[in-house]
Amino acid sequence: MHWPRLLSQRRFPDQQLPPTSAAPGRGAFVQDYDRVVFSSAFRRLQRKTQVMPLPETDFVHTRLTHSLETAVVGRSLGRLAARHLLENDAELAQLLPNLDQDCGDIVAAACLAHDIGNPPFGHSGEDAISSYFLSATAAPYLAQLTPAEIADLQHFEGNAAGFRILTHTYAAHSTGTAGLGLTYATLGAFTKYPRPSLVADAARRNGASEKKYGHFQTENSRFQHVAAELGLLPKDAAAGFYHRHPLAFLVEAADDLCYRIIDFEDGLKLGLIAPETGLPLLKKMLNDPADRIGSVQWHDWREELGYIRARLIGKLVAETATLFARHAPAILRGEYDQPLIKELSCWVDLQEVQRLSINQLYRSRPVLEIEAAGFEVLGGLLDAFLCAVFDASQGHRSRKLLLLLPEQFRAEGHQAGVSAYEKILLLTDFVAGMTDQNALSLYKTIKGIELPKGF
């Protein structure tokens, strides 16, 4: 793979047209960032769970604040890593003098969008949708689908839903085909898992890019366009299975650092992880000289926590950028496919942070109770609306439920000959795109548990 091609400023889906000229000081990748910020899908992240579902406190992270912080970390990672590349390669520095700025902007935009397809109710949202389609209740709706289409639904993936949001325009909205119209470079960096849901075992190599999948069957051809424009190396071209865009490693690292350390910080502030356990662990990872640690007298451990977290992330960003530069030649040859954070000097301590977060935060009673409710809510919504869509008699209840669907999610009017798979995926778009509160409110309404406010 080659950097000039990997940094394509052409906008999806136009491969033949030259890149559009950008205003001075506001390049194509900065525009990508802005387009994500102003999208309705990004705005909905403010009411989607990161860890603590339906939080009552104002300092707990939502998907929105997590995405913003990941984008900040990603920008620093991209710029520092590319600066190392430029310092070590005079030829590259002459060819791409703005590589550091471009890489920072691309990684920031991709990080900003990295959770844009995640469903309500935190990490369990994907499991809730998958579980519904694995149930006997859903089996009749899947009867006409191909194995690959079934795999999309039974292993629902927020990353694939995100790629669909970024590249898909609903027929009810317009005749456009660009989604958010992002550059190919940003779409490539966004795609941490450049493979479909169903891949032959012979093609798999068990790398980091193969842990999940990155697009649904409906977006196969779109991802092929992205891979061709960027010159991604194929693992199995016939199966649509590729090596990652190099900058996807930095997007992954930014997300890993933020969710591990900042989720841990939330657990401490919520009182679910004891400060006498958490603070020493973070200090150990920071490995500060004794004189630096003792230079400030802290009167509030929460303020000390914020200080340690900020400096720790800065340290790990610098170390990760160096690792990326070291592995960049192998990444470009498709010979490296591991998470960068596994090579950090404090990897063992990061694993302990993750263990504590799982046992004391992710498995805390409030999280488990509301996530369990999320299974009922998301499964209940999918079942009710799928029953209405596939109701051949179109009874009164089915007609009323379909009228509750926004027009873009109805397989009618603007779309002729829509397959069963596409009908199901439209409903999945609807449910996955909802906020926690919106999903819960609609579920209560259609089940007759609670009438809408004002009645």
Side-chain angles (χ1 to χ4, degrees):
M1 292 181 278
H2 303 282
W3 283 113
R5 193 168 176 184
L6 290 165
L7 303 180
S8 173
Q9 296 185 31
R10 288 192 177 93
R11 294 199 173 278
F12 178 85
D14 299 320
Q15 286 184 285
Q16 304 305 320
L17 298 177
T20 56
S21 58
R26 186 170 178 264
F29 309 129
V30 173
Q31 292 177 24
D32 284 348
Y33 187 97
D34 296 349
R35 290 182 181 205
V36 174
V37 165
F38 283 96
S39 68
S40 57
F42 181 74
R43 188 164 59 250
R44 287 194 294 272
L45 295 180
Q46 68 182 313
R47 295 177 70 83
K48 285 192 178 185
T49 292
Q50 172 62 15
V51 176
M52 183 61 67
L54 306 173
E56 295 181 1
T57 53
D58 58 3
F59 58 76
V60 175
H61 289 79
T62 65
R63 288 284 184 192
L64 183 76
T65 48
H66 167 71
S67 297
L68 289 167
E69 291 173 347
T70 302
V72 170
V73 171
R75 179 181 288 112
S76 296
L77 268 175
R79 290 187 178 177
L80 287 172
R83 176 49 52 186
H84 289 317
L85 295 179
L86 293 174
E87 291 170 351
N88 297 331
D89 189 335
E91 184 178 345
L92 182 63
Q94 185 173 7
L95 179 64
L96 297 170
N98 296 321
L99 181 67
D100 53 347
Q101 180 174 327
D102 286 344
C103 286
D105 292 342
I106 292 167
V107 176
C111 285
L112 191 72
H114 84 281
D115 271 350
I116 204 166
N118 280 41
F121 299 104
H123 302 295
S124 72
E126 291 168 311
D127 294 337
I129 293 173
S130 301
S131 294
Y132 171 75
F133 286 112
L134 284 164
S135 69
T137 305
Y141 306 127
L142 308 183
Q144 303 176 42
L145 276 56
T146 68
E149 291 169 345
I150 293 172
D152 283 355
L153 300 168
Q154 293 185 339
H155 304 281
F156 181 82
E157 179 54 52
N159 289 281
F163 187 82
R164 179 169 165 86
I165 288 170
L166 298 181
T167 61
H168 176 73
T169 300
Y170 292 103
H173 286 163
S174 76
T175 58
T177 57
L180 297 189
L182 303 185
T183 62
Y184 283 93
T186 295
L187 289 173
F190 170 86
T191 308
K192 293 188 290 185
Y193 309 106
R195 46 156 286 206
S197 59
L198 207 58
V199 173
D201 289 341
R204 296 177 66 91
R205 304 179 193 177
N206 298 317
S209 64
E210 302 179 30
K211 185 172 68 170
K212 301 178 183 179
Y213 67 95
H215 59 275
F216 298 126
Q217 293 302 304
T218 46
E219 281 68 59
N220 262 336
S221 62
R222 296 173 195 165
F223 179 71
Q224 295 291 334
H225 283 308
V226 172
E229 170 69 16
L230 298 172
L232 301 185
L233 290 175
K235 288 187 178 181
D236 185 339
F241 190 12
Y242 289 82
H243 289 276
R244 274 179 175 173
H245 189 295
L247 296 183
F249 287 94
L250 295 180
V251 174
E252 177 182 61
D255 184 28
D256 283 344
L257 291 176
C258 284
Y259 91 77
R260 285 174 186 268
I261 294 173
I262 298 175
D263 284 6
F264 190 70
E265 180 185 17
D266 279 351
L268 282 160
K269 288 184 174 180
L270 288 167
L272 296 172
I273 299 172
E276 55 268 25
T277 300
L279 280 173
L281 179 56
L282 294 177
K283 288 179 180 178
K284 179 185 176 186
M285 294 167 65
L286 182 58
N287 193 25
D288 234 355
D291 58 339
R292 182 69 180 270
I293 291 176
S295 63
V296 175
Q297 295 296 318
W298 298 99
H299 303 299
D300 186 335
W301 68 265
R302 294 172 183 81
E303 290 301 307
E304 183 182 12
L305 171 62
Y307 171 78
I308 294 170
R309 178 257 303 146
R311 294 199 53 235
L312 178 58
I313 288 178
K315 172 189 174 181
L316 298 183
V317 163
E319 190 176 345
T320 304
T322 301
L323 287 168
F324 177 84
R326 181 190 307 163
H327 291 298
I331 291 173
L332 291 170
R333 295 192 300 267
E335 297 172 357
Y336 181 90
D337 193 8
Q338 297 300 322
L340 290 168
I341 68 163
K342 284 191 174 183
E343 296 188 42
L344 290 172
S345 58
C346 62
W347 170 239
V348 172
D349 294 321
L350 275 173
Q351 287 179 295
E352 176 63 11
V353 163
Q354 183 75 347
R355 186 190 70 80
L356 286 170
S357 294
I358 290 171
N359 291 337
Q360 298 182 34
L361 175 59
Y362 304 147
R363 292 177 182 168
S364 65
R365 188 173 184 86
V367 172
L368 292 176
E369 285 178 343
I370 301 181
E371 286 188 344
F375 272 76
E376 295 299 318
V377 170
L378 299 187
L381 288 174
L382 284 169
D383 192 55
F385 283 103
L386 282 171
C387 182
V389 166
F390 289 96
D391 179 7
S393 66
Q394 284 295 289
H396 293 299
R397 183 173 187 271
S398 295
R399 290 201 303 272
K400 292 184 184 300
L401 280 172
L402 292 178
L403 288 173
L404 291 176
L405 276 178
E407 189 178 3
Q408 67 268 28
F409 303 115
R410 302 180 206 165
E412 59 183 31
H414 297 276
Q415 302 182 59
V418 177
S419 68
Y421 168 68
E422 289 173 301
K423 290 178 181 179
I424 296 171
L425 199 57
L426 282 170
L427 285 173
T428 307
D429 290 347
F430 170 60
V431 172
M434 301 175 83
T435 65
D436 295 18
Q437 290 86 349
N438 187 209
L440 181 59
S441 175
L442 182 59
Y443 175 78
K444 287 180 176 179
T445 298
I446 66 173
K447 294 294 184 180
I449 299 171
E450 184 178 285
L451 290 175
K453 289 181 181 180
F455 284 79

Coordinates of all heavy atoms in Angstrom, one line a residue, residues 216-292:
F216 N -22.4 -4.6 6.0 CA -23.4 -5.5 5.7 C -23.4 -5.9 4.2 O -22.6 -5.3 3.4 CB -24.8 -4.9 6.0 CG -25.0 -4.5 7.5 CD1 -25.4 -3.3 7.8 CD2 -24.9 -5.5 8.5 CE1 -25.6 -2.9 9.1 CE2 -25.1 -5.2 9.8 CZ -25.4 -3.9 10.1
Q217 N -24.2 -6.9 3.9 CA -24.2 -7.4 2.5 C -24.7 -6.2 1.6 O -24.2 -6.1 0.4 CB -25.2 -8.5 2.3 CG -24.7 -9.8 3.0 CD -23.3 -10.3 2.5 OE1 -23.2 -10.5 1.3 NE2 -22.4 -10.4 3.4
T218 N -25.5 -5.3 2.0 CA -26.0 -4.2 1.2 C -24.9 -3.3 0.9 O -25.0 -2.5 -0.1 CB -27.1 -3.5 1.9 OG1 -26.7 -3.2 3.3 CG2 -28.4 -4.2 1.9
E219 N -23.8 -3.2 1.7 CA -22.7 -2.3 1.4 C -21.5 -3.0 0.8 O -20.4 -2.4 0.8 CB -22.3 -1.6 2.7 CG -23.2 -0.5 3.1 CD -24.6 -0.9 3.5 OE1 -24.7 -1.7 4.4 OE2 -25.6 -0.5 2.8
N220 N -21.6 -4.3 0.4 CA -20.5 -5.0 -0.2 C -19.8 -4.2 -1.3 O -18.6 -4.0 -1.4 CB -20.9 -6.3 -0.7 CG -20.6 -7.5 0.3 OD1 -19.7 -7.3 1.1 ND2 -21.3 -8.5 0.2
S221 N -20.6 -3.8 -2.3 CA -20.1 -3.1 -3.4 C -19.5 -1.7 -3.1 O -18.5 -1.3 -3.6 CB -21.1 -2.9 -4.5 OG -22.2 -2.1 -4.1
R222 N -20.1 -1.1 -2.1 CA -19.6 0.2 -1.6 C -18.2 0.1 -1.0 O -17.3 0.8 -1.2 CB -20.5 0.9 -0.6 CG -21.9 1.2 -1.2 CD -22.8 1.7 -0.1 NE -24.2 1.7 -0.7 CZ -25.3 1.8 0.1 NH1 -25.2 1.9 1.4 NH2 -26.5 1.8 -0.5
F223 N -18.0 -1.0 -0.2 CA -16.7 -1.2 0.4 C -15.7 -1.6 -0.6 O -14.5 -1.2 -0.6 CB -16.7 -2.2 1.5 CG -15.4 -2.4 2.1 CD1 -14.8 -1.4 2.9 CD2 -14.6 -3.5 1.8 CE1 -13.5 -1.6 3.4 CE2 -13.3 -3.7 2.3 CZ -12.8 -2.7 3.1
Q224 N -16.1 -2.3 -1.6 CA -15.2 -2.7 -2.7 C -14.7 -1.4 -3.4 O -13.5 -1.3 -3.8 CB -15.9 -3.6 -3.8 CG -16.3 -5.0 -3.2 CD -15.1 -5.9 -3.0 OE1 -14.1 -5.7 -3.6 NE2 -15.3 -6.8 -2.0
H225 N -15.6 -0.4 -3.6 CA -15.2 0.8 -4.2 C -14.1 1.5 -3.3 O -13.1 2.1 -3.8 CB -16.4 1.8 -4.4 CG -17.2 1.4 -5.5 ND1 -16.8 1.3 -6.8 CD2 -18.6 1.3 -5.6 CE1 -17.8 1.0 -7.6 NE2 -18.9 1.0 -6.9
V226 N -14.3 1.5 -2.0 CA -13.4 2.1 -1.1 C -12.0 1.5 -1.2 O -11.0 2.1 -1.3 CB -14.0 2.1 0.3 CG1 -12.9 2.6 1.4 CG2 -15.2 3.0 0.5
A227 N -12.0 0.1 -1.1 CA -10.8 -0.6 -1.2 C -10.0 -0.4 -2.5 O -8.8 -0.3 -2.5 CB -11.1 -2.1 -1.0
A228 N -10.8 -0.4 -3.6 CA -10.1 -0.1 -4.9 C -9.5 1.2 -5.0 O -8.4 1.4 -5.5 CB -11.1 -0.4 -6.0
E229 N -10.2 2.2 -4.5 CA -9.7 3.6 -4.6 C -8.5 3.8 -3.7 O -7.5 4.5 -4.2 CB -10.8 4.6 -4.1 CG -10.3 6.0 -3.9 CD -10.0 6.8 -5.2 OE1 -10.4 6.3 -6.3 OE2 -9.3 7.8 -5.1
L230 N -8.4 3.2 -2.6 CA -7.3 3.3 -1.6 C -6.2 2.4 -1.9 O -5.1 2.6 -1.4 CB -7.8 3.1 -0.2 CG -8.9 4.1 0.3 CD1 -9.4 3.7 1.6 CD2 -8.3 5.5 0.4
G231 N -6.4 1.3 -2.7 CA -5.4 0.4 -3.0 C -5.1 -0.5 -1.8 O -4.0 -1.0 -1.6
L232 N -6.2 -0.9 -1.0 CA -6.0 -1.8 0.1 C -5.6 -3.2 -0.4 O -6.1 -3.7 -1.5 CB -7.3 -1.9 0.9 CG -7.8 -0.6 1.5 CD1 -9.0 -0.9 2.4 CD2 -6.8 0.1 2.3
L233 N -4.7 -3.8 0.3 CA -4.2 -5.2 -0.1 C -5.3 -6.2 0.2 O -5.8 -6.2 1.3 CB -2.9 -5.5 0.6 CG -1.7 -4.8 0.3 CD1 -0.5 -5.2 1.2 CD2 -1.3 -5.0 -1.2
P234 N -5.6 -7.1 -0.7 CA -6.6 -8.1 -0.5 C -6.1 -9.3 0.3 O -4.9 -9.7 0.1 CB -7.1 -8.5 -1.9 CG -5.9 -8.3 -2.7 CD -5.2 -7.1 -2.1
K235 N -6.9 -9.8 1.2 CA -6.6 -11.1 1.8 C -7.3 -12.2 1.0 O -6.7 -13.3 0.8 CB -7.1 -11.1 3.3 CG -6.2 -10.3 4.3 CD -6.7 -10.5 5.7 CE -5.8 -9.7 6.7 NZ -6.2 -10.0 8.1
D236 N -8.5 -11.9 0.6 CA -9.3 -12.8 -0.3 C -10.2 -11.8 -1.0 O -11.3 -11.5 -0.6 CB -10.0 -13.8 0.5 CG -10.7 -14.8 -0.4 OD1 -11.0 -14.5 -1.5 OD2 -11.1 -15.9 0.1
A237 N -9.7 -11.4 -2.2 CA -10.5 -10.4 -3.0 C -11.9 -10.9 -3.4 O -12.8 -10.1 -3.4 CB -9.7 -9.9 -4.2
A238 N -12.0 -12.2 -3.7 CA -13.2 -12.7 -4.1 C -14.3 -12.7 -3.0 O -15.5 -12.5 -3.2 CB -13.1 -14.2 -4.6
A239 N -13.8 -12.8 -1.8 CA -14.7 -12.7 -0.6 C -14.8 -11.3 -0.1 O -15.5 -11.1 0.9 CB -14.1 -13.6 0.5
G240 N -14.2 -10.3 -0.7 CA -14.3 -8.9 -0.2 C -13.6 -8.7 1.1 O -14.0 -7.9 1.9
F241 N -12.5 -9.4 1.3 CA -11.7 -9.5 2.6 C -10.4 -8.8 2.4 O -9.6 -9.3 1.5 CB -11.6 -10.9 2.9 CG -11.1 -11.2 4.3 CD1 -11.0 -10.2 5.3 CD2 -10.7 -12.5 4.7 CE1 -10.5 -10.5 6.5 CE2 -10.3 -12.8 5.9 CZ -10.2 -11.8 6.9
Y242 N -10.1 -7.7 3.1 CA -8.9 -6.9 2.8 C -8.0 -6.7 4.1 O -8.5 -6.9 5.2 CB -9.3 -5.6 2.3 CG -9.8 -5.7 0.8 CD1 -11.1 -6.0 0.6 CD2 -8.9 -5.4 -0.2 CE1 -11.6 -6.1 -0.7 CE2 -9.4 -5.5 -1.5 CZ -10.7 -5.8 -1.8 OH -11.2 -5.9 -3.1
H243 N -6.8 -6.3 3.9 CA -6.0 -5.7 5.0 C -6.5 -4.3 5.3 O -7.0 -3.6 4.5 CB -4.5 -5.7 4.6 CG -3.9 -7.0 4.5 ND1 -3.3 -7.7 5.5 CD2 -3.7 -7.8 3.4 CE1 -2.8 -8.8 5.2 NE2 -3.0 -8.9 3.8
R244 N -6.2 -3.9 6.5 CA -6.7 -2.6 7.0 C -5.9 -1.4 6.3 O -4.8 -1.6 5.9 CB -6.4 -2.5 8.5 CG -7.4 -3.0 9.4 CD -6.9 -2.8 10.9 NE -7.8 -3.1 11.8 CZ -7.6 -3.2 13.1 NH1 -6.4 -2.8 13.6 NH2 -8.6 -3.5 14.0
H245 N -6.6 -0.3 6.2 CA -6.0 1.0 6.0 C -5.1 1.2 7.2 O -5.5 1.0 8.3 CB -7.0 2.1 5.9 CG -6.5 3.4 5.4 ND1 -5.6 4.1 6.2 CD2 -6.8 4.1 4.3 CE1 -5.4 5.2 5.6 NE2 -6.1 5.3 4.4
P246 N -3.8 1.6 7.0 CA -2.9 1.8 8.1 C -3.4 2.7 9.2 O -3.2 2.4 10.4 CB -1.7 2.4 7.5 CG -1.7 1.9 6.1 CD -3.1 1.8 5.7
L247 N -4.1 3.7 8.9 CA -4.6 4.6 9.9 C -5.7 4.0 10.8 O -6.0 4.6 11.8 CB -5.1 6.0 9.3 CG -4.0 6.8 8.6 CD1 -4.6 8.1 8.0 CD2 -2.8 7.0 9.5
A248 N -6.3 2.9 10.3 CA -7.3 2.2 11.1 C -6.7 1.7 12.4 O -7.4 1.6 13.4 CB -8.0 1.1 10.4
F249 N -5.4 1.4 12.4 CA -4.7 1.0 13.6 C -4.7 2.1 14.7 O -4.8 1.8 15.9 CB -3.3 0.5 13.3 CG -3.2 -0.8 12.6 CD1 -3.2 -0.9 11.2 CD2 -3.2 -2.0 13.3 CE1 -3.1 -2.1 10.5 CE2 -3.1 -3.2 12.6 CZ -3.1 -3.3 11.3
L250 N -4.6 3.3 14.2 CA -4.6 4.5 15.1 C -6.0 4.8 15.6 O -6.1 5.2 16.8 CB -4.0 5.7 14.4 CG -2.5 5.6 14.1 CD1 -2.0 6.9 13.4 CD2 -1.6 5.3 15.3
V251 N -7.0 4.6 14.8 CA -8.4 4.7 15.2 C -8.7 3.7 16.3 O -9.3 4.0 17.4 CB -9.4 4.6 14.1 CG1 -10.8 4.6 14.5 CG2 -9.1 5.7 13.0
E252 N -8.3 2.5 16.1 CA -8.5 1.4 17.1 C -7.7 1.8 18.4 O -8.3 1.6 19.5 CB -7.9 0.1 16.5 CG -8.0 -1.1 17.5 CD -7.4 -2.3 16.9 OE1 -6.2 -2.3 16.6 OE2 -8.2 -3.3 16.8
A253 N -6.5 2.2 18.3 CA -5.7 2.5 19.5 C -6.3 3.7 20.3 O -6.4 3.6 21.5 CB -4.3 2.9 19.1
A254 N -6.8 4.7 19.6 CA -7.5 5.8 20.3 C -8.7 5.4 21.0 O -8.9 5.8 22.2 CB -7.8 6.9 19.2
D255 N -9.5 4.5 20.4 CA -10.7 4.0 21.1 C -10.3 3.1 22.3 O -10.9 3.3 23.3 CB -11.5 3.2 20.0 CG -12.8 2.7 20.6 OD1 -13.4 3.4 21.5 OD2 -13.3 1.7 20.1
D256 N -9.3 2.3 22.1 CA -8.9 1.4 23.1 C -8.4 2.2 24.4 O -8.8 1.9 25.5 CB -7.8 0.5 22.7 CG -8.2 -0.7 21.8 OD1 -9.5 -0.9 21.8 OD2 -7.4 -1.3 21.1
L257 N -7.6 3.2 24.1 CA -7.0 4.0 25.2 C -8.2 4.7 26.0 O -8.2 4.7 27.2 CB -6.0 5.0 24.7 CG -4.7 4.4 24.2 CD1 -3.8 5.5 23.6 CD2 -4.0 3.6 25.3
C258 N -9.1 5.3 25.2 CA -10.1 6.1 25.8 C -11.1 5.2 26.6 O -11.4 5.5 27.8 CB -10.9 6.9 24.7 SG -9.9 8.3 24.2
Y259 N -11.6 4.2 26.0 CA -12.6 3.4 26.7 C -12.0 2.7 27.9 O -12.6 2.5 29.0 CB -13.4 2.5 25.8 CG -12.9 1.1 25.6 CD1 -13.1 0.1 26.6 CD2 -12.2 0.7 24.5 CE1 -12.6 -1.2 26.5 CE2 -11.8 -0.6 24.3 CZ -12.0 -1.6 25.3 OH -11.5 -2.8 25.2
R260 N -10.7 2.2 27.8 CA -10.2 1.5 29.0 C -9.9 2.5 30.1 O -10.3 2.2 31.3 CB -8.8 0.9 28.6 CG -9.0 -0.4 27.7 CD -7.7 -0.9 27.2 NE -7.8 -2.0 26.3 CZ -7.8 -3.3 26.7 NH1 -7.7 -3.6 27.9 NH2 -8.0 -4.3 25.8
I261 N -9.3 3.6 29.9 CA -8.9 4.5 30.9 C -10.1 5.4 31.4 O -10.3 5.6 32.6 CB -7.7 5.4 30.5 CG1 -6.5 4.5 30.3 CG2 -7.4 6.5 31.5 CD1 -5.3 5.2 29.7
I262 N -10.9 5.9 30.5 CA -12.0 6.8 30.9 C -13.2 6.1 31.4 O -13.8 6.5 32.3 CB -12.3 7.7 29.7 CG1 -11.1 8.6 29.3 CG2 -13.5 8.6 30.0 CD1 -11.3 9.4 28.1
D263 N -13.5 4.9 30.9 CA -14.5 4.0 31.5 C -14.1 3.7 33.0 O -14.9 3.8 33.9 CB -14.7 2.7 30.8 CG -15.5 2.9 29.5 OD1 -15.8 4.0 29.1 OD2 -15.8 1.9 28.9
F264 N -12.8 3.4 33.2 CA -12.3 3.2 34.5 C -12.4 4.4 35.4 O -12.8 4.3 36.6 CB -10.8 2.8 34.4 CG -10.2 2.3 35.6 CD1 -10.5 1.0 36.1 CD2 -9.2 3.0 36.3 CE1 -9.9 0.5 37.3 CE2 -8.6 2.5 37.5 CZ -8.9 1.3 37.9
E265 N -12.2 5.6 34.8 CA -12.4 6.8 35.6 C -13.8 7.0 36.0 O -14.1 7.4 37.1 CB -11.9 8.0 34.7 CG -12.1 9.4 35.4 CD -11.8 10.5 34.5 OE1 -11.7 10.3 33.3 OE2 -11.6 11.6 35.0
D266 N -14.8 6.7 35.1 CA -16.2 6.7 35.4 C -16.5 5.8 36.6 O -17.3 6.1 37.5 CB -17.0 6.4 34.2 CG -17.2 7.6 33.3 OD1 -16.8 8.7 33.6 OD2 -17.8 7.4 32.2
G267 N -16.0 4.6 36.5 CA -16.2 3.6 37.6 C -15.7 4.1 38.9 O -16.4 3.9 40.0
L268 N -14.6 4.8 39.0 CA -14.1 5.4 40.2 C -15.0 6.5 40.7 O -15.4 6.5 41.9 CB -12.7 5.9 40.0 CG -11.6 4.9 39.9 CD1 -10.3 5.5 39.3 CD2 -11.2 4.5 41.4
K269 N -15.4 7.4 39.8 CA -16.3 8.5 40.2 C -17.7 8.1 40.7 O -18.3 8.7 41.5 CB -16.4 9.5 39.1 CG -15.1 10.3 38.8 CD -15.3 11.3 37.7 CE -14.1 12.2 37.6 NZ -14.3 13.3 36.5
L270 N -18.1 6.9 40.1 CA -19.4 6.4 40.5 C -19.4 5.6 41.8 O -20.4 5.2 42.3 CB -20.0 5.5 39.4 CG -20.5 6.2 38.1 CD1 -20.7 5.2 37.0 CD2 -21.8 7.0 38.4
G271 N -18.2 5.4 42.3 CA -18.0 4.6 43.5 C -18.1 3.1 43.4 O -18.2 2.4 44.3
L272 N -18.0 2.7 42.1 CA -18.1 1.2 41.8 C -16.7 0.6 41.9 O -16.6 -0.6 42.1 CB -18.7 1.0 40.4 CG -20.1 1.4 40.3 CD1 -20.6 1.4 38.9 CD2 -21.0 0.6 41.2
I273 N -15.6 1.4 41.7 CA -14.3 1.0 41.8 C -13.6 1.8 42.9 O -13.7 3.1 42.9 CB -13.5 1.1 40.5 CG1 -14.1 0.3 39.4 CG2 -12.0 0.7 40.7 CD1 -13.5 0.5 38.0
A274 N -13.0 1.2 43.9 CA -12.5 1.9 45.1 C -11.3 2.8 44.7 O -10.4 2.3 44.0 CB -12.1 0.9 46.2
P275 N -11.3 4.0 45.1 CA -10.1 4.9 44.7 C -8.8 4.4 45.3 O -7.8 4.6 44.6 CB -10.5 6.3 45.3 CG -11.6 6.0 46.3 CD -12.3 4.8 45.8
E276 N -8.8 3.7 46.4 CA -7.6 3.2 47.0 C -7.0 2.1 46.1 O -5.9 1.7 46.3 CB -7.8 2.7 48.4 CG -8.9 1.7 48.7 CD -10.2 2.4 49.0 OE1 -10.4 3.6 48.6 OE2 -11.0 1.7 49.7
T277 N -7.9 1.5 45.3 CA -7.4 0.5 44.3 C -7.1 1.1 43.0 O -6.0 0.8 42.4 CB -8.5 -0.6 44.1 OG1 -8.8 -1.2 45.3 CG2 -8.1 -1.6 43.1
G278 N -8.0 2.0 42.5 CA -7.8 2.5 41.2 C -6.7 3.6 41.0 O -5.9 3.5 40.0
L279 N -6.6 4.5 42.0 CA -5.6 5.5 41.8 C -4.2 5.0 41.8 O -3.3 5.4 41.0 CB -5.8 6.6 43.0 CG -6.9 7.6 42.7 CD1 -7.1 8.5 44.0 CD2 -6.5 8.5 41.5
P280 N -3.8 4.1 42.7 CA -2.4 3.6 42.7 C -2.1 2.8 41.4 O -1.0 2.9 40.9 CB -2.4 2.6 43.9 CG -3.4 3.1 44.8 CD -4.5 3.6 43.9
L281 N -3.1 2.2 40.8 CA -2.9 1.5 39.6 C -2.6 2.4 38.4 O -1.7 2.2 37.6 CB -4.1 0.6 39.2 CG -4.1 -0.2 37.9 CD1 -2.9 -1.1 37.9 CD2 -5.4 -1.0 37.8
L282 N -3.3 3.5 38.4 CA -3.1 4.5 37.3 C -1.7 5.2 37.6 O -1.0 5.5 36.6 CB -4.2 5.6 37.3 CG -5.6 5.0 36.9 CD1 -6.6 6.2 37.0 CD2 -5.6 4.5 35.5
K283 N -1.4 5.5 38.8 CA -0.1 6.1 39.1 C 1.1 5.2 38.7 O 2.1 5.6 38.2 CB 0.0 6.4 40.6 CG -0.9 7.6 41.1 CD -0.7 7.8 42.6 CE -1.6 9.0 43.0 NZ -1.5 9.2 44.5
K284 N 0.9 3.9 38.9 CA 1.9 2.9 38.5 C 2.1 2.9 37.0 O 3.2 2.9 36.5 CB 1.4 1.5 38.9 CG 2.4 0.4 38.6 CD 1.9 -1.0 38.9 CE 2.8 -2.1 38.5 NZ 2.2 -3.4 38.7
M285 N 1.0 3.0 36.2 CA 1.1 3.1 34.8 C 1.7 4.4 34.3 O 2.5 4.4 33.4 CB -0.3 3.0 34.2 CG -1.0 1.7 34.4 SD -2.8 1.7 34.0 CE -2.7 2.0 32.2
L286 N 1.5 5.5 35.0 CA 2.1 6.8 34.7 C 3.6 6.8 35.0 O 4.4 7.3 34.3 CB 1.4 7.9 35.5 CG 1.8 9.3 35.2 CD1 1.7 9.7 33.7 CD2 1.1 10.3 36.0
N287 N 3.9 6.1 36.1 CA 5.4 5.9 36.4 C 6.1 7.2 36.5 O 7.1 7.4 36.0 CB 6.0 5.0 35.4 CG 7.4 4.5 35.9 OD1 7.7 4.4 37.1 ND2 8.3 4.2 35.0
D288 N 5.5 8.1 37.3 CA 6.0 9.5 37.4 C 7.2 9.5 38.4 O 7.2 8.7 39.4 CB 4.9 10.4 38.0 CG 4.7 11.6 37.2 OD1 5.5 11.8 36.2 OD2 3.8 12.4 37.4
P289 N 8.2 10.3 38.2 CA 9.2 10.5 39.2 C 8.6 11.0 40.5 O 7.6 11.7 40.5 CB 10.2 11.5 38.6 CG 9.9 11.5 37.2 CD 8.4 11.1 37.0
A290 N 9.2 10.6 41.6 CA 8.6 11.0 42.9 C 8.5 12.5 43.1 O 7.5 13.0 43.7 CB 9.5 10.4 44.1
D291 N 9.5 13.2 42.6 CA 9.4 14.7 42.8 C 8.2 15.3 42.0 O 7.6 16.3 42.4 CB 10.7 15.3 42.4 CG 11.1 15.1 40.9 OD1 10.6 14.1 40.4 OD2 11.8 15.8 40.4
R292 N 7.9 14.7 40.9 CA 6.7 15.2 40.1 C 5.4 14.9 40.8 O 4.5 15.8 40.9 CB 6.7 14.6 38.7 CG 5.6 15.2 37.8 CD 5.9 16.6 37.4 NE 4.8 17.1 36.5 CZ 4.9 17.1 35.2 NH1 5.9 16.5 34.6 NH2 3.9 17.6 34.5

